[in-house]
Amino acid sequence: MLTSSAYRGRFAPSPTGPLHFGSLVAALGSYLDAKHHHGIWLVRMEDLDTPRTVPGAADSIIRTLECLGLNWDEEVIFQSRRTPAYEEAWHKLHDIGAVYPCACTRKEIADSALHALANRNMEELIYPGTCRDGIPAGKESRSWRVRTIQKPVGFNDALQGNITQILESESGDFVVKRADGLFAYQLAVVVDDAFQGITHVVRGADLIASTPRQIHLQHLLNLPTPHYMHLPVAVNPQNEKLSKQTLAKPVDCSNPAESLIKALSFLQQNPPAEFSAYDVSSILNWAAANWDSNALNGMIRIPHITSGD
Ligand code: GLU
């Protein structure tokens, strides 16, 4: 068993809308894993992407975590207030020659022959390396990319097993500073996990493909690599991840016990039927003591049948 100082976990929502069932699963899974190990559990607001941040969403997420009894142990940090830390990391990368300016637009990358994988998600296009050796004549720098290597970067996920990626061919050099001047999620998350001393990252499996990029940045910045556990993602009957885009309903604070019970069932924790009459702290105490992540081994996507949420 780990001691309290040995385990530091976190929930890092992007305040693009209220907490819904999908984000509750990530919040609850990370909370229970931390509390089962007598660890610290933190909340970090990933409000760095200001164009996507919805006013009032951070407050609403915080209030919902409170109504669910998911109490965090230290002050909530906001990425929007941490730009100097990202700037410093970016300078380190710049000083070691790990980043370079890039003039490509998304459209140019999407149109390039190398985007291969018929992946409709623009974020996941493989960058073909156009500006690696300098910006083509007549073009201007837009973003900054980090160089990747043609060697496997891997980790042993607590639920999904060994995951490896050859970043250069499977993701390509990726953006750390965006064309709009904002630092990218991949850089901010690595800087903040290290800043908050996070030892265990428990989050949705939709982020698993980002983890090798984050480990690559940790290596370049000499930062520790936490343990990772990627939880199954809740999908609707159309097999779409629950999200604001797929109209997931906000978690209902008028019946927090029911929300916790549904999320515990999704996490395969078999909450006893009588729990609906219990208060949230009794439910969470039971769930933390009995947390068994092995019940989720290898599960990536699980339909969340109750319609609407
Ligand atoms: N902010 C990210 C999201 O809401 C999660 C980041 C993480 O857990 O690393 O999808």
Side-chain angles (χ1 to χ4, degrees):
M1 182 69 65
L2 296 163
T3 62
S4 59
S5 57
Y7 187 121
R8 290 174 67 85
R10 53 45 160 206
F11 171 53
S14 301
T16 55
L19 195 83
H20 53 74
F21 185 80
S23 36
L24 168 58
V25 165
L28 183 60
S30 61
Y31 174 90
L32 293 178
D33 201 60
K35 294 300 155 188
H36 182 74
H37 293 101
H38 306 286
I40 298 288
W41 184 69
L42 307 177
V43 173
R44 175 169 78 231
M45 275 301 154
E46 299 211 324
D47 57 350
L48 190 61
D49 190 348
T50 35
R52 286 183 62 230
T53 296
V54 170
D59 278 353
S60 143
I61 292 172
I62 297 273
R63 277 197 309 273
T64 307
L65 292 173
E66 278 169 350
C67 87
L68 293 161
L70 294 170
N71 300 323
W72 50 95
D73 295 307
E74 292 171 12
E75 206 183 331
V76 175
I77 73 163
F78 289 78
Q79 289 194 323
S80 55
R81 301 178 195 160
R82 293 204 14 92
T83 302
Y86 312 138
E87 193 81 48
E88 192 184 321
W90 179 82
H91 276 293
K92 277 189 193 151
L93 295 172
H94 187 261
D95 290 351
I96 59 169
V99 289
Y100 62 86
C102 174
C104 299
T105 62
R106 280 180 176 226
K107 178 159 188 335
E108 283 165 342
I109 300 168
D111 288 349
S112 82
L114 276 172
H115 81 269
L117 302 183
N119 194 334
R120 283 176 296 127
N121 181 350
M122 294 292 281
E123 300 288 28
E124 296 298 331
L125 294 175
I126 297 170
Y127 180 65
T130 319
C131 299
R132 239 189 178 192
D133 300 316
I135 288 181
K139 296 257 193 167
E140 276 186 23
S141 160
R142 294 168 48 82
S143 56
W144 286 81
R145 288 184 184 270
V146 66
R147 287 176 205 281
T148 52
I149 45 173
Q150 195 56 23
K151 275 208 313 219
V153 177
F155 65 102
N156 188 9
D157 187 88
L159 296 179
Q160 315 298 343
N162 278 324
I163 307 283
T164 29
Q165 250 182 35
I166 299 184
L167 286 174
E168 190 177 338
S169 51
E170 292 178 53
S171 113
D173 298 344
F174 57 92
V175 171
V176 285
K177 193 171 185 187
R178 306 176 356 173
D180 58 8
L182 293 172
F183 287 100
Y185 157 69
Q186 306 291 3
L187 182 69
V189 77
V190 160
V191 170
D192 287 342
D193 281 339
F195 173 71
Q196 295 190 289
I198 300 301
T199 58
H200 291 71
V201 171
V202 178
R203 61 186 174 191
D206 51 319
L207 290 163
I208 202 164
S210 285
T211 307
R213 275 173 269 180
Q214 293 170 17
I215 293 173
H216 181 59
L217 286 175
Q218 287 155 3
H219 291 166
L220 290 169
L221 292 164
N222 278 324
L223 298 174
T225 293
H227 299 279
Y228 288 98
M229 179 190 289
H230 288 88
L231 299 170
V233 172
V235 292
N236 64 20
Q238 290 76 43
N239 208 26
E240 297 163 326
K241 183 188 138 190
L242 300 187
S243 68
K244 200 177 82 169
Q245 287 72 29
T246 58
L247 307 176
K249 272 198 314 205
V251 168
D252 179 7
C253 270
S254 67
N255 196 347
E258 189 188 299
S259 298
L260 286 178
I261 293 165
K262 276 194 201 164
L264 285 170
S265 303
F266 178 88
L267 289 167
Q268 314 293 309
Q269 302 301 301
N270 299 322
E274 64 271 21
F275 266 12
S276 48
Y278 284 25
D279 59 69
V280 287
S281 62
S282 315
I283 297 174
L284 290 173
N285 286 343
W286 174 90
N290 292 286
W291 170 243
D292 176 17
S293 60
N294 288 328
L296 294 163
N297 261 346
M299 290 186 183
I300 287 270
R301 289 161 88 82
I302 307 181
H304 176 60
I305 299 303
T306 316
S307 66
D309 55 357

